Amino acid sequence: MSAREKRLGWADALRTRRPRRRASAALPPVVYRWDLDKTYLKSDFDSLTKMMRVPFERAEDKVDEPGVVALMRALRAGARAEGRRVLVYFVSASPPQIGRAIREKLALDGVEIDGIVFKDQLQHLVRGRFRFLREQIGFKLAELLQARLAAPAGAVEYLFGDDWESDSLCYSLYADVVAGRLDHQALGDILVRLRIDPARLVEIRGLARKIPTADAVRRIFINLERRTPPGRFRTFGARLVPTFNYFQTALVLHEEGMVPLAAVVAVGHSLIDRAAYTRAQLRNSLDDLVRRGHLRDDEPALRRDLEESGVLPSTAAQGSWTQRLWRRLRRRRPTPKPLPAKRPVVIDYPRLVDAWLASGGRPGEAAS
């Protein structure tokens, strides 16, 4: 505390430190695009029997991933607090027959969305095209490009998926097409090798030609539901962040300036309360992000604030009541200034697709 702040007293000191509100005009609209199964919901379709149960589950039967609800609420609230336009969408390869239960589940969770797209599997069944029932890259890439054409001008995007199927490859292709780093011929060659639906290939090529070029995708988050070793995603570049839980996701988004510290605390407490995480495990999650280089700074102040809020185990004395008050007020600090976009590595897609096909399309195997 400065000498000037001591003269002014606590109230005046806080008033002088109150940050000026950032001009909303300087912040572009933000779009959050989410996968559904294994990213938002803890869907269980490890066997055909379990898969057949999914369409008959009620909203009350569906279970969300720990921490995801708190994070999604915070992302929208954080944008609104900044006076920023925010849009939230789901793109799911699940059939549209589960749409009602999903919308009811989101309403129960208090998660507000702007749209959701399902994959219509019936057309493939009717035509006997069973191979395309599990083909996700063509479906998702076409839907993402279609959605990009409808996005507000200048919008930045954050994408959320999982390591269960092909989100890492699909999202990276989408980001590089939008950024103009993947030309139409190269994209076509990749999709042919991935054996996507020929009709989808024509649709994607047409959409890609219409997309205004912009380095719009800031980050791709992959929820490691399968516990795939994160090193296997290294060749996707720093833009893609594999995370073991939504506390890690919230920490990166906080550093990106998309959510306040209070959101990180809320997600951490959600993991402690609902998923039996210990504070020591959350500290390990933070350490893991630092070790992997996904947090640019290992801020002692951040760790101290998380300890004070009961998310990390305490390593320091509590101090006087004025020190505790000051730290509590400091946790209300504003959301950090948004960081510039990371410079992605140039992805060697031909090599990556070779490895992908050789592994049978297992996520992360392509990057190993």
Side-chain angles (χ1 to χ4, degrees):
M1 190 174 180
S2 68
R4 179 170 177 268
E5 287 169 349
K6 288 178 180 176
R7 290 197 305 273
L8 291 172
W10 283 101
D12 288 336
L14 290 171
R15 195 175 298 121
T16 59
R17 286 195 171 200
R18 186 173 297 165
R20 292 180 181 177
R21 188 183 182 84
R22 277 180 267 158
S24 59
L27 297 173
V30 57
V31 180
Y32 298 109
R33 302 194 192 279
W34 291 77
D35 184 33
L36 184 65
D37 296 305
K38 309 289 187 184
T39 303
Y40 184 84
L41 293 177
K42 290 190 75 68
S43 306
D44 188 353
F45 39 68
D46 295 349
S47 67
L48 183 60
T49 304
K50 291 177 179 176
M51 189 182 297
M52 295 296 288
R53 288 182 191 154
V54 172
F56 302 101
E57 289 178 348
R58 300 171 301 173
E60 296 83 359
D61 299 328
K62 296 188 178 297
V63 179
D64 45 276
E65 292 279 348
V68 70
V69 171
L71 178 60
M72 290 192 73
R73 289 176 182 165
L75 287 170
R76 186 176 285 277
R80 283 177 172 166
E82 298 281 352
R84 183 176 198 172
R85 187 177 179 191
V86 54
L87 298 160
V88 180
Y89 296 101
F90 279 98
V91 180
S92 172
S94 294
Q97 287 76 15
I98 69 169
R100 180 176 177 181
I102 295 301
R103 291 185 180 87
E104 289 177 353
K105 166 63 177 168
L106 292 169
L108 285 173
D109 293 340
V111 172
E112 186 181 344
I113 65 169
D114 298 280
I116 182 167
V117 176
F118 295 101
K119 184 180 180 184
D120 185 3
Q121 305 278 33
L122 189 58
Q123 58 170 325
H124 295 308
L125 285 173
V126 170
R127 298 176 185 175
R129 303 161 69 188
F130 302 111
R131 182 168 68 84
F132 297 125
L133 291 175
R134 297 190 66 82
E135 194 284 300
Q136 314 297 0
I137 293 180
F139 159 72
K140 277 198 170 181
L141 187 54
E143 293 297 337
L144 289 168
L145 292 171
Q146 188 71 51
R148 181 66 195 176
L149 287 172
V156 298
E157 300 194 16
Y158 290 83
L159 312 179
F160 302 83
D162 58 77
D163 63 344
W164 200 256
E165 290 179 329
S166 52
D167 288 339
S168 52
L169 179 56
C170 182
Y171 284 164
S172 295
L173 285 170
Y174 168 68
D176 284 335
V177 169
V178 173
R181 283 188 284 269
L182 196 58
D183 65 45
H184 300 154
Q185 184 59 49
L187 174 64
D189 292 344
I190 291 168
L191 297 180
V192 167
R193 297 199 59 209
L194 290 170
R195 300 181 67 203
I196 72 162
D197 183 346
R200 284 287 188 190
L201 176 58
V202 173
E203 180 185 5
I204 290 168
R205 280 177 160 163
L207 291 168
R209 289 190 179 91
K210 298 178 185 175
I211 294 287
T213 300
D215 198 4
V217 176
R218 292 288 188 262
R219 290 283 190 145
I220 298 169
F221 293 97
I222 296 297
N223 180 36
L224 297 174
E225 178 74 9
R226 240 175 181 162
R227 290 318 197 228
T228 304
R232 291 184 178 175
F233 295 90
R234 196 168 294 127
T235 54
F236 286 97
R239 179 180 56 197
L240 188 146
V241 185
T243 58
F244 286 104
N245 53 57
Y246 279 105
F247 179 66
Q248 290 188 325
T249 308
L251 283 166
V252 178
L253 286 166
H254 172 63
E255 190 180 68
E256 288 273 316
M258 305 311 295
V259 292
L261 181 63
V264 182
V265 172
V267 173
H269 279 298
S270 175
L271 290 174
I272 292 171
D273 297 340
R274 290 195 46 206
Y277 266 74
T278 65
R279 289 168 178 80
Q281 285 174 315
L282 293 182
R283 182 181 57 199
N284 291 342
S285 295
L286 171 56
D287 292 341
D288 172 58
L289 275 184
V290 173
R291 275 195 304 271
R292 289 196 274 133
H294 290 302
L295 286 182
R296 303 185 195 202
D297 298 310
D298 187 11
E299 274 190 78
L302 173 66
R303 289 180 181 268
R304 193 165 55 243
D305 287 344
L306 292 173
E307 290 175 12
E308 281 283 323
S309 61
V311 172
L312 300 187
S314 178
T315 58
Q318 292 296 309
S320 66
W321 73 268
T322 53
Q323 290 172 321
R324 295 197 300 274
L325 173 63
W326 180 247
R327 289 196 293 264
R328 182 181 292 273
L329 291 169
R330 195 157 49 83
R331 287 204 295 274
R332 297 179 181 175
R333 59 187 175 182
T335 305
K337 186 178 180 181
L339 295 173
K342 275 182 172 289
R343 180 180 297 174
V345 300
V346 176
I347 298 177
D348 185 353
Y349 281 107
R351 178 176 171 273
L352 193 149
V353 170
D354 282 345
W356 184 276
L357 294 174
S359 70
R362 282 185 62 86
E365 296 289 339
S368 60

